[in-house]
Amino acid sequence: CKTEVPLGESCTYCGGKLTKQSEMLSFGIVHVPVRDWFCWNDLLRIGLPAGLASVMYALSNLIIQAGVNGFGTMTIASWTVFGKIDSVFWMIIDSFGIAVTTFGVDGALVNEAGELLYPVISWKCPRTAEVMKRVAEYMPQGMLNSISGVGEFAFNTIYKLIWLKENRPELLEQAHAWLFISNILAHRLTGVMATDRTMAGTSQMTDLCTGDWSSEILSAIGIRKELFPPMVNAGDTIGTLTPAACELLGLPNAVPVVSTGHDTQFALFGSGVQENQPFLSSGTWEILMLRTAKASLEPEDYAAGATVEYDSKTGLLNPGLQWIASGIIEWVKATCYNGESFDTMDAEAEKIAPGCDGVKLIPDFLPSDAVPGSIQGLVLGRTRAHIYRAAMEALTLRLKQRLEKLEK
């Protein structure tokens, strides 16, 4: 009711009353019956169609989604990707802050302006596998594992830097800093160089006990600590958008850029998993981890693919095991199915009995694996479907075995 009444008097229409006591104003509300019955007509004329429209919108979405589902998994995946791209667009438009998260280990040497001095050495690049095989020339692998907590993987940052030191030493002399991928992007947005701790934790050059760079490891490989910008924790604000970035993205000034770090920890945090619960990040890699306050791994654990990374929450660690997964499935698809859909692959595999009629796939497909992967039991009469199902069974068995090991 908008009727104006003198202070202390009740409204003759709705009964509302303003009172003043000890310099404080309060408004008393009482039950008021609707006397203007004509307003119900207005409510129905506006509210009922609006409610029906909302219901029809939901129903139409169900009908459209059911239609999309009928086109197969590739169409569903494409529709999902479109939805994610669309949501990213609107998030940027309405953003209060920007978070930067990427895969770990990869990065580049940069000059003072943040320009790359050499292209990023991808985690898929085979040249680091050879470096890892002779890393004992600098420090025994077992010692690297025990200090850093990180397992023996050819894509670790340490092997990229050793390769650069051995093959392009002048770049290390010229470099102002080493930036991980997420920090390269953050620098482009803010002009600030930083090192996310969860990214550094994938490098095999940190100290698991201190959470900082290991002076012992850096000294052994001949890399100066000053090459790495100051550490920031996941969730810390690195800086705000530069004027150029604001203009490019169409965003207001002073939008904060937050370090989110390694995508594995970002996914782990986003899943809502609690301490001492297993977590599986499934994609190109299967990464099976825990959130725990401490981790103690033995040499046989590292031999089985174990590693320890820093959790997004300071003080917690993420011991776990990781192995190549959908990368193998993609290889089977490209090699045996010549671009055919996963629907075709799944339909064929369903017709093969468990055990794949003796066909067995060993899923060790990385260049750094001690024993290369293989496909066994191929004889006349076996098909591409046998190979695909054998790959799925092998990866499923590996997940079961690794979960049992993590629980122990």
Side-chain angles (χ1 to χ4, degrees), residues 148-183:
S148 68
V150 178
E152 182 180 349
F153 301 104
F155 50 68
N156 292 344
T157 316
I158 187 173
Y159 306 119
K160 305 174 194 296
L161 285 170
I162 290 176
W163 186 92
L164 288 168
K165 178 180 175 62
E166 293 178 347
N167 295 274
R168 298 298 301 273
E170 76 281 4
L171 295 179
L172 285 167
E173 294 297 325
Q174 299 170 14
H176 177 72
W178 167 274
L179 294 180
F180 290 97
I181 295 289
S182 67
N183 297 117

Side-chain angles (χ1 to χ4, degrees), residues 6 94 130 195 213 220 251 268 313 337 362 396:
D94 298 328
E130 295 302 316
T195 302
W213 298 106
L251 293 175
L268 191 153
K313 181 179 179 181
Y337 284 84
I362 309 300
T396 303

Side-chain angles (χ1 to χ4, degrees), residues 321-342:
L321 300 117
Q322 58 190 37
W323 59 99
I324 196 76
S326 68
I328 294 176
I329 301 303
E330 291 288 351
W331 176 84
V332 173
K333 184 175 186 288
T335 305
C336 301
Y337 284 84
N338 194 29
E340 294 182 61
S341 70
F342 282 111

Side-chain angles (χ1 to χ4, degrees), residues 196-369:
D196 183 277
R197 196 177 305 277
T198 62
M199 296 292 283
T202 68
S203 68
Q204 207 176 17
M205 296 185 293
T206 53
D207 188 318
L208 191 63
C209 297
T210 66
D212 200 354
W213 298 106
S214 167
S215 299
E216 189 174 359
I217 294 176
L218 294 181
S219 175
I221 63 176
I223 299 296
R224 50 192 170 91
K225 186 176 180 180
E226 296 74 26
L227 194 64
F228 306 101
M231 289 269 198
V232 295
N233 293 314
D236 288 351
T237 297
I238 296 175
T240 57
L241 288 181
T242 63
C246 290
E247 182 178 356
L248 179 65
L249 299 174
L251 293 175
N253 294 327
V255 173
V257 176
V258 179
S259 184
T260 317
H262 191 201
D263 54 1
T264 299
Q265 278 65 45
F266 182 77
L268 191 153
F269 174 80
S271 73
V273 66
Q274 302 300 310
E275 287 190 45
N276 298 318
Q277 287 183 328
F279 162 86
L280 177 66
S281 174
S282 185
T284 303
W285 287 84
E286 298 284 273
I287 304 175
L288 185 64
M289 285 186 161
L290 289 174
R291 304 185 78 183
T292 182
K294 62 179 182 178
S296 178
L297 275 66
E298 301 297 330
E300 55 267 26
D301 298 320
Y302 289 111
T307 193
V308 183
E309 297 179 2
Y310 297 132
D311 190 84
S312 58
K313 181 179 179 181
T314 304
L316 291 183
L317 299 172
N318 300 143
L321 300 117
Q322 58 190 37
W323 59 99
I324 196 76
S326 68
I328 294 176
I329 301 303
E330 291 288 351
W331 176 84
V332 173
K333 184 175 186 288
T335 305
C336 301
Y337 284 84
N338 194 29
E340 294 182 61
S341 70
F342 282 111
D343 289 336
T344 300
M345 297 170 66
D346 292 340
E348 291 185 4
E350 285 178 354
K351 298 175 183 178
I352 306 299
C356 307
D357 298 321
V359 176
K360 184 179 180 181
L361 184 142
I362 309 300
D364 298 321
F365 279 32
L366 288 176
S368 58
D369 287 329

